[in-house]
């Protein structure tokens, strides 16, 4: 069994992160899933939520993902997101303001996006 897996985190408009990891945690329509080297092949639909990547160097990469797909085979994991931001790219104050606006406007989709962004920042 391999000690690491190759991860590609890609958004519709850019490659977000690529590298070697020991564990990836993501939210799918079936629930949260953890993928480690040697995992059974899978294909799933990503829900909005934070994705946590434990890198081979011992670091952690966290991203806010809004929809997409997850695919794993032969120790290669692909996360294809509709929209994705690394936690380090997120302005927490701006996300908090967006959450308040969404609540005021009763915009459930915008509220969910802002909540996911804030959860990603909190995890990092």
């Amino acid at each position: 069994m391999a000690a690491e897996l190759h991860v590609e985190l890609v958004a519709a408009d850019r490659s977000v992160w690529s590298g070697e990891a020991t564990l990836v945690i993501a939210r799918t329509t079936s629930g949260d899933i953890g993928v480690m080297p040697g995992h059974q092949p899978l294909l799933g639909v990503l829900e909005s939520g934070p994705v946590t990547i434990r890198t081979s160097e011992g670091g952690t990469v966290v991203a806010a993902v809004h929809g997409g797909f997850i695919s794993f085979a032969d120790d290669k994991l692909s996360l294809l997101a509709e929209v994705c931001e690394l936690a380090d790219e997120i302005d927490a104050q701006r996300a908090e303001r967006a959450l308040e606006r969404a609540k005021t406007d009763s915009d459930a989709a915008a509220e969910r996006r802002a909540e996911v962004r804030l959860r990603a920042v909190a995890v990092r």
Side-chain angles (χ1 to χ4, degrees):
M1 181 168 86
E4 56 189 32
L5 54 108
H6 183 74
V7 178
E8 293 285 335
L9 177 56
V10 180
D13 61 342
R14 66 186 176 124
S15 176
V16 178
W17 188 87
S18 178
E20 305 306 311
T22 57
L23 172 67
V24 176
I25 301 168
R27 174 154 296 161
T28 70
T29 55
S30 300
D32 288 351
I33 187 168
V35 179
M36 297 175 69
H39 195 284
Q40 291 294 316
L42 73 91
L43 179 62
V45 177
L46 289 171
E47 288 280 321
S48 291
V51 168
T52 303
I53 303 167
R54 304 274 187 235
T55 68
S56 295
E57 295 82 33
T60 301
V61 175
V62 180
V65 171
H66 306 283
F69 298 94
I70 182 171
S71 171
F72 181 77
D74 301 322
D75 286 320
K76 292 181 179 75
L77 180 70
S78 297
L79 298 145
L80 309 171
E82 293 173 23
V83 177
C84 180
E85 297 172 275
L86 292 173
D88 293 340
E89 299 171 340
I90 297 171
D91 179 337
Q93 291 177 339
R94 184 174 172 215
E96 287 171 1
R97 289 191 304 271
L99 178 59
E100 292 307 313
R101 268 194 317 275
K103 286 179 179 180
T104 301
D105 297 343
S106 298
D107 185 342
E111 187 174 337
R112 175 78 178 138
R113 284 190 304 273
E115 287 172 346
V116 168
R117 294 175 79 222
L118 288 169
R119 284 189 17 234
V121 170
V123 172
R124 72 172 172 188

